[in-house]
Amino acid sequence: MQRVATQTDHGSQISYSRAIRRGEVIEVSGTTAPGADAYEQAQAALEIIRAAIEALGGGRGDIVRTRMYVCDITTNAPDVGRAHREFFADVMPTTGMYGVTGLLEPWMLVEIEATALLYE
């Protein structure tokens, strides 16, 4: 099993890895990032996810599933969806977008998880 450590204080406080690869499967923890709005936060989170998957030998095209947790989904879903669409236009993973009442920090508007498969 290979791991990528998280670079946040929350990683050590909660004790989790950014991503883990076991065999041909990579799971990426819920990922957040600072930004002025939900669109910027989603873009930055997706780049962190990409870097974690690349560190474990995968790539953006290996991502088969994402889960997006969105605060104030009525307002923020279009922006989060736009960031996801731009990032995955040619990959089109399965996904879910869920409205949540809050995340770990008040400034967090979106948290994204991902699964990558390296079978091919």
Side-chain angles (χ1 to χ4, degrees):
M1 187 172 348
Q2 298 171 280
R3 298 176 190 274
V4 172
T6 179
Q7 301 301 311
T8 67
D9 290 338
H10 298 299
S12 60
Q13 293 169 355
I14 299 171
S15 186
Y16 74 95
S17 298
R18 168 66 49 223
I20 294 176
R21 177 178 178 175
R22 183 164 188 159
E24 302 304 316
V25 178
I26 299 172
E27 291 286 350
V28 183
S29 294
T31 303
T32 61
D37 56 27
Y39 175 74
E40 286 184 8
Q41 288 186 21
Q43 283 184 309
L46 290 165
E47 289 300 332
I48 292 168
I49 289 168
R50 178 202 315 250
I53 289 173
E54 287 177 351
L56 294 173
R60 186 179 58 87
D62 296 311
I63 298 171
V64 296
R65 178 159 175 72
T66 59
R67 293 158 208 86
M68 297 171 278
Y69 303 95
V70 182
C71 294
D72 192 5
I73 197 162
T74 303
T75 301
N76 293 322
D79 289 335
V80 173
R82 178 168 57 107
H84 191 274
R85 181 179 64 248
E86 291 170 0
F87 191 81
F88 289 113
D90 58 333
V91 176
M92 297 183 66
T94 63
T95 195
M97 185 182 292
Y98 311 97
V100 297
T101 58
L103 296 167
L104 191 58
E105 297 285 346
W107 59 264
M108 295 175 180
L109 302 175
V110 60
E111 182 170 320
I112 304 173
E113 299 175 348
T115 302
L117 298 177
L118 309 180
Y119 293 122
E120 299 173 351

